[in-house]
Amino acid sequence: MSAGGFDWPALMRAGLQGLGLAPAVFWALTPAELLMMLGEGEGAAPMGRDRLEALAARFPDVTTKESGDGRDG
């Protein structure tokens, strides 16, 4: 993707020619599904809500006023 949005001509070439998708199948995909089919995003999945909450519980935010020691965080 470019800063201005999707490069539709390139995505259409990749989907229709590269993957051999029928137009109806191509247009029924979400951008995330198409990118996954093209091999993009093979890295780690984004953090889910459960993992975020577990980290927040393990490392709670503490303000200077709450900590009472005069240090941040």
Side-chain angles (χ1 to χ4, degrees), residues 2-65:
S2 68
F6 293 103
D7 182 354
W8 286 111
L11 289 173
M12 290 174 68
R13 274 191 302 279
L16 301 174
Q17 294 176 350
L19 296 174
L21 300 173
V25 174
F26 173 84
W27 290 111
L29 294 171
T30 65
E33 290 169 331
L34 179 59
L35 291 175
M36 183 180 71
M37 291 175 74
L38 293 171
E40 301 290 326
E42 292 181 10
M47 183 183 305
R49 182 84 175 162
D50 291 341
R51 179 72 176 128
L52 176 61
E53 289 176 356
L55 283 171
R58 185 170 177 197
F59 302 102
D61 290 337
V62 179
T63 65
T64 303
K65 191 175 192 179

